[in-house]
Amino acid sequence: MNIWLLVWRNSFRKKIRFALTCVSIMVAFFLFTALAGINHALTASVSSINQYRLMTSHKISITRSLPINYQQKIAALPGIERVSYASWFGGFFQNEKNQLAVTAVEHTSYFDLFDEYKIPKQQLAQWKKTRTGIIVGQSLANKYGWQVGDKVPLSSSIWMNRSGSFSWEFVVSAIYQSNKQGGDKKIFFQHAYFDKGRAYARNSLSWLSTKIAPNADVEQAIKSIDSLFTHSNSPTRTTTEQVFVQEQAQQFVDMAMVINVVVIAVFFTLLLIVCNTMIQTIRERLNESAMMKALGFSSSSLITAIYLESLLLLGIGAVLGTLLASILLGFIKQSLADFLPGIYISPQHYITVFALVNIAAAFCSFFPALKIKSIVVSEALGGQS
Amino acid sequence: MQNNNEIILKAINKSYQKGDNTVVVHDNFNLTIKSGEFVALMGPSGLGKSTLLHLMGGLDQPTQGEVWIGGQRIDNLTQKQLTQWRAQSIGFVFQSHHLLPVLSAQGNVELPLALTPLNRKQRKEHASMALQLVSMSERADHYPKELSGGQEQRVAIARAIVSDPQILLCDEPTGNLDRKTADEILALLAKLNSELGKTIVMVTHDNKAAEYATRVINLESYILSQNKAQAEAQNNKMNKAEVSLGSNL
Ligand SMILES: Nc1ncnc2c1ncn2[C@@H]1O[C@H](COP(=O)(O)OP(=O)(O)O)[C@@H](O)[C@H]1O
Ligand SMILES: [Mg+2]
């Protein structure tokens, strides 16, 4: 017999209450961990972006196009190293259910700027020579069984070509890989083919990507690009790529905010529930505590026991909840790779969980501690109870 | 092996403040219990018997006066010191056994030993010995709810003596028991007193307790006679003073 055994036995005294409390703790920590994983995805996708790439789009909306000659105008500015551009194709394969991220890119420059796509040199050279060539991500190639040389028709939900059809002919020229998880599901093709081929809105682009010189001032570069077009028909808005992606991800961030608030509320409720459980627990055992005091146990040793009991309760719930969330995230990571790459639970998160459990245990043993301290043994045991 | 376990209550005043009223339970109360006595403290309810026991065991402190146990004054110790002192000096047995339901008889008896430097094996041995003394060895693995009232009280007594305190304070230990079981418990206490030399103070309503105890104190008459003696002493002093005053005149 030792104090640990007593703590252990006491914990499981009211099995149903223990189980219910444990489940509520589990839910709270499940939410907490799941959110942390998703949060990481949101912030990671944002922070892995190159600071020194600028995105320029129409001031009013990304859906409006810009004149194609903006490329030269921006390239002529001081402190600018390279400018490329791209347009959104809005493609799908065979039917609209197979939506694909298809982008028309300025083929001579685009992959100099975006070196995160790993394309075999030969294939890239071949693509540059092939007007209708596409570069497809490895996992797309795997999914549809595409190989270099295959003819692939892709349809656009936006762009009609000159023959009046929404179906465009392509040939697979290259397959790329990405070191970013879920980053290998895009398709690129030559902007020149797109621009000549489309039935309307020729000589326009969706956005420009600018690489500035390493020693150039980012703010300055942004200002000089936008002021160039302030009084034109198509004014621009330039941001660092980070901000650009962040704005795209704002809806996720908003969502995360809402979940954050919910998690805080859940945690608060949880604290009250566990606190209440511990207070109830100590009330039921007043006589036992008084007896232990009579035997010579100090208030602090009884308080330690109740702290350990809270810790055990919270610990079991937290471990189960965190484990469950980790396993679940492991599963959905794959299926969410397109939508939200980079779901990951950092080791720090587990340290946070550990700290939270300890803090909560301390909080929840506070009121029981006061109660224990205030027990007058002679009054508690003197009666006939 | 006889240590000094004398219990001395000296000029004790114990009163409670109830709003504007002061309830005086004991006033200028004196009592000495010698080492090795088995005292049955009897008397009507509400007279302050339990209070006296709590004072002797350091569970309560007097409003005024001194409590000496085995040559040590304990009424001025801090709560922390009292707690430590209790662990090694006093064994309590209450009317209600207050055994922990989650521990077996063995576990309950071992509980106070968690406060001692004994190792696991020694704790087990000591607890087994204590259970043997109260004839509960066979039930060591039983949980309180699997024991009868008398058996529970035996285990509670084993728990009270396991750390080998020289003084046992029992508050109506047979109050919840039938005649036969009560007799067994009284015999057990008498055995602990005569064979192990424990000093025992037992509050009881049980008239048969007198058969087992070495001294019976009827608190009501004890207080009366004490007051009378004090009054006489007071009178004598006054008379003497008058006499001397008169002779001086
Ligand atoms: N905490 C307390 N507050 C006020 N009065 C008390 C308290 N404890 C005991 N008393 C009073 O002290 C008196 C003696 O109580 P107690 O020692 O329990 O008597 P007994 O054990 O002889 O029945 C009773 O009148 C009781 O009401
Ligand atoms: Mg009483």
PDB file of all heavy atoms in Angstrom, chain B residues 229-243:
ATOM      1  N   ALA B 229     -14.010  20.400  45.591  1.00  0.00           N
ATOM      2  CA  ALA B 229     -12.671  20.473  46.165  1.00  0.00           C
ATOM      3  C   ALA B 229     -12.084  21.864  45.973  1.00  0.00           C
ATOM      4  O   ALA B 229     -11.492  22.442  46.890  1.00  0.00           O
ATOM      5  CB  ALA B 229     -11.765  19.424  45.514  1.00  0.00           C
ATOM      6  N   GLN B 230     -12.314  22.379  44.740  1.00  0.00           N
ATOM      7  CA  GLN B 230     -11.764  23.703  44.456  1.00  0.00           C
ATOM      8  C   GLN B 230     -12.438  24.761  45.325  1.00  0.00           C
ATOM      9  O   GLN B 230     -11.786  25.662  45.855  1.00  0.00           O
ATOM     10  CB  GLN B 230     -11.958  24.049  42.978  1.00  0.00           C
ATOM     11  CG  GLN B 230     -10.881  23.433  42.102  1.00  0.00           C
ATOM     12  CD  GLN B 230     -11.289  23.428  40.648  1.00  0.00           C
ATOM     13  OE1 GLN B 230     -12.326  23.980  40.287  1.00  0.00           O
ATOM     14  NE2 GLN B 230     -10.475  22.786  39.833  1.00  0.00           N
ATOM     15  N   ALA B 231     -13.767  24.594  45.452  1.00  0.00           N
ATOM     16  CA  ALA B 231     -14.494  25.568  46.263  1.00  0.00           C
ATOM     17  C   ALA B 231     -14.019  25.520  47.713  1.00  0.00           C
ATOM     18  O   ALA B 231     -13.828  26.557  48.358  1.00  0.00           O
ATOM     19  CB  ALA B 231     -15.996  25.281  46.191  1.00  0.00           C
ATOM     20  N   GLU B 232     -13.801  24.280  48.187  1.00  0.00           N
ATOM     21  CA  GLU B 232     -13.315  24.137  49.563  1.00  0.00           C
ATOM     22  C   GLU B 232     -11.947  24.771  49.733  1.00  0.00           C
ATOM     23  O   GLU B 232     -11.682  25.482  50.702  1.00  0.00           O
ATOM     24  CB  GLU B 232     -13.259  22.658  49.969  1.00  0.00           C
ATOM     25  CG  GLU B 232     -14.598  22.161  50.495  1.00  0.00           C
ATOM     26  CD  GLU B 232     -14.642  20.632  50.607  1.00  0.00           C
ATOM     27  OE1 GLU B 232     -13.563  20.005  50.504  1.00  0.00           O
ATOM     28  OE2 GLU B 232     -15.752  20.107  50.770  1.00  0.00           O
ATOM     29  N   ALA B 233     -11.099  24.487  48.752  1.00  0.00           N
ATOM     30  CA  ALA B 233      -9.755  25.061  48.807  1.00  0.00           C
ATOM     31  C   ALA B 233      -9.856  26.581  48.850  1.00  0.00           C
ATOM     32  O   ALA B 233      -9.153  27.253  49.612  1.00  0.00           O
ATOM     33  CB  ALA B 233      -8.943  24.615  47.590  1.00  0.00           C
ATOM     34  N   GLN B 234     -10.771  27.078  48.007  1.00  0.00           N
ATOM     35  CA  GLN B 234     -10.983  28.518  47.953  1.00  0.00           C
ATOM     36  C   GLN B 234     -11.453  29.029  49.336  1.00  0.00           C
ATOM     37  O   GLN B 234     -10.935  30.015  49.848  1.00  0.00           O
ATOM     38  CB  GLN B 234     -12.045  28.820  46.885  1.00  0.00           C
ATOM     39  CG  GLN B 234     -12.054  30.263  46.408  1.00  0.00           C
ATOM     40  CD  GLN B 234     -10.855  30.548  45.511  1.00  0.00           C
ATOM     41  OE1 GLN B 234     -10.347  29.648  44.845  1.00  0.00           O
ATOM     42  NE2 GLN B 234     -10.360  31.770  45.546  1.00  0.00           N
ATOM     43  N   ASN B 235     -12.449  28.269  49.873  1.00  0.00           N
ATOM     44  CA  ASN B 235     -12.990  28.644  51.177  1.00  0.00           C
ATOM     45  C   ASN B 235     -11.914  28.676  52.257  1.00  0.00           C
ATOM     46  O   ASN B 235     -11.832  29.622  53.036  1.00  0.00           O
ATOM     47  CB  ASN B 235     -14.063  27.638  51.606  1.00  0.00           C
ATOM     48  CG  ASN B 235     -15.451  28.151  51.236  1.00  0.00           C
ATOM     49  OD1 ASN B 235     -15.604  29.354  50.980  1.00  0.00           O
ATOM     50  ND2 ASN B 235     -16.427  27.258  51.214  1.00  0.00           N
ATOM     51  N   ASN B 236     -11.112  27.580  52.243  1.00  0.00           N
ATOM     52  CA  ASN B 236     -10.041  27.491  53.230  1.00  0.00           C
ATOM     53  C   ASN B 236      -9.143  28.706  53.170  1.00  0.00           C
ATOM     54  O   ASN B 236      -8.805  29.293  54.185  1.00  0.00           O
ATOM     55  CB  ASN B 236      -9.196  26.236  52.994  1.00  0.00           C
ATOM     56  CG  ASN B 236      -9.883  25.019  53.599  1.00  0.00           C
ATOM     57  OD1 ASN B 236     -10.788  25.173  54.443  1.00  0.00           O
ATOM     58  ND2 ASN B 236      -9.467  23.824  53.193  1.00  0.00           N
ATOM     59  N   LYS B 237      -8.786  29.052  51.929  1.00  0.00           N
ATOM     60  CA  LYS B 237      -7.912  30.207  51.750  1.00  0.00           C
ATOM     61  C   LYS B 237      -8.565  31.443  52.349  1.00  0.00           C
ATOM     62  O   LYS B 237      -7.949  32.206  53.090  1.00  0.00           O
ATOM     63  CB  LYS B 237      -7.662  30.443  50.249  1.00  0.00           C
ATOM     64  CG  LYS B 237      -6.250  30.067  49.803  1.00  0.00           C
ATOM     65  CD  LYS B 237      -5.987  30.638  48.417  1.00  0.00           C
ATOM     66  CE  LYS B 237      -5.380  29.587  47.500  1.00  0.00           C
ATOM     67  NZ  LYS B 237      -5.540  29.959  46.095  1.00  0.00           N
ATOM     68  N   MET B 238      -9.869  31.607  51.980  1.00  0.00           N
ATOM     69  CA  MET B 238     -10.594  32.784  52.459  1.00  0.00           C
ATOM     70  C   MET B 238     -10.650  32.793  53.985  1.00  0.00           C
ATOM     71  O   MET B 238     -10.424  33.818  54.622  1.00  0.00           O
ATOM     72  CB  MET B 238     -12.021  32.780  51.899  1.00  0.00           C
ATOM     73  CG  MET B 238     -12.043  32.841  50.388  1.00  0.00           C
ATOM     74  SD  MET B 238     -12.816  34.322  49.740  1.00  0.00           S
ATOM     75  CE  MET B 238     -14.506  34.122  50.230  1.00  0.00           C
ATOM     76  N   ASN B 239     -10.951  31.557  54.532  1.00  0.00           N
ATOM     77  CA  ASN B 239     -11.034  31.480  55.987  1.00  0.00           C
ATOM     78  C   ASN B 239      -9.719  31.872  56.635  1.00  0.00           C
ATOM     79  O   ASN B 239      -9.676  32.648  57.589  1.00  0.00           O
ATOM     80  CB  ASN B 239     -11.416  30.068  56.429  1.00  0.00           C
ATOM     81  CG  ASN B 239     -12.889  29.797  56.132  1.00  0.00           C
ATOM     82  OD1 ASN B 239     -13.651  30.753  55.912  1.00  0.00           O
ATOM     83  ND2 ASN B 239     -13.273  28.527  56.118  1.00  0.00           N
ATOM     84  N   LYS B 240      -8.656  31.283  56.029  1.00  0.00           N
ATOM     85  CA  LYS B 240      -7.326  31.602  56.567  1.00  0.00           C
ATOM     86  C   LYS B 240      -7.088  33.098  56.515  1.00  0.00           C
ATOM     87  O   LYS B 240      -6.590  33.720  57.451  1.00  0.00           O
ATOM     88  CB  LYS B 240      -6.239  30.874  55.775  1.00  0.00           C
ATOM     89  CG  LYS B 240      -5.946  29.492  56.334  1.00  0.00           C
ATOM     90  CD  LYS B 240      -4.756  28.864  55.616  1.00  0.00           C
ATOM     91  CE  LYS B 240      -4.747  27.357  55.849  1.00  0.00           C
ATOM     92  NZ  LYS B 240      -4.190  26.666  54.681  1.00  0.00           N
ATOM     93  N   ALA B 241      -7.474  33.641  55.340  1.00  0.00           N
ATOM     94  CA  ALA B 241      -7.259  35.071  55.177  1.00  0.00           C
ATOM     95  C   ALA B 241      -8.043  35.847  56.230  1.00  0.00           C
ATOM     96  O   ALA B 241      -7.530  36.786  56.845  1.00  0.00           O
ATOM     97  CB  ALA B 241      -7.688  35.505  53.772  1.00  0.00           C
ATOM     98  N   GLU B 242      -9.303  35.378  56.470  1.00  0.00           N
ATOM     99  CA  GLU B 242     -10.123  36.053  57.474  1.00  0.00           C
ATOM    100  C   GLU B 242      -9.483  35.953  58.853  1.00  0.00           C
ATOM    101  O   GLU B 242      -9.413  36.925  59.603  1.00  0.00           O
ATOM    102  CB  GLU B 242     -11.519  35.418  57.529  1.00  0.00           C
ATOM    103  CG  GLU B 242     -12.535  36.177  56.704  1.00  0.00           C
ATOM    104  CD  GLU B 242     -13.837  35.414  56.563  1.00  0.00           C
ATOM    105  OE1 GLU B 242     -14.229  34.730  57.525  1.00  0.00           O
ATOM    106  OE2 GLU B 242     -14.423  35.487  55.461  1.00  0.00           O
ATOM    107  N   VAL B 243      -9.007  34.686  59.107  1.00  0.00           N
ATOM    108  CA  VAL B 243      -8.384  34.458  60.414  1.00  0.00           C
ATOM    109  C   VAL B 243      -7.209  35.396  60.607  1.00  0.00           C
ATOM    110  O   VAL B 243      -7.091  36.089  61.614  1.00  0.00           O
ATOM    111  CB  VAL B 243      -7.938  32.983  60.557  1.00  0.00           C
ATOM    112  CG1 VAL B 243      -7.053  32.800  61.777  1.00  0.00           C
ATOM    113  CG2 VAL B 243      -9.161  32.075  60.640  1.00  0.00           C
TER     114      VAL B 243
END
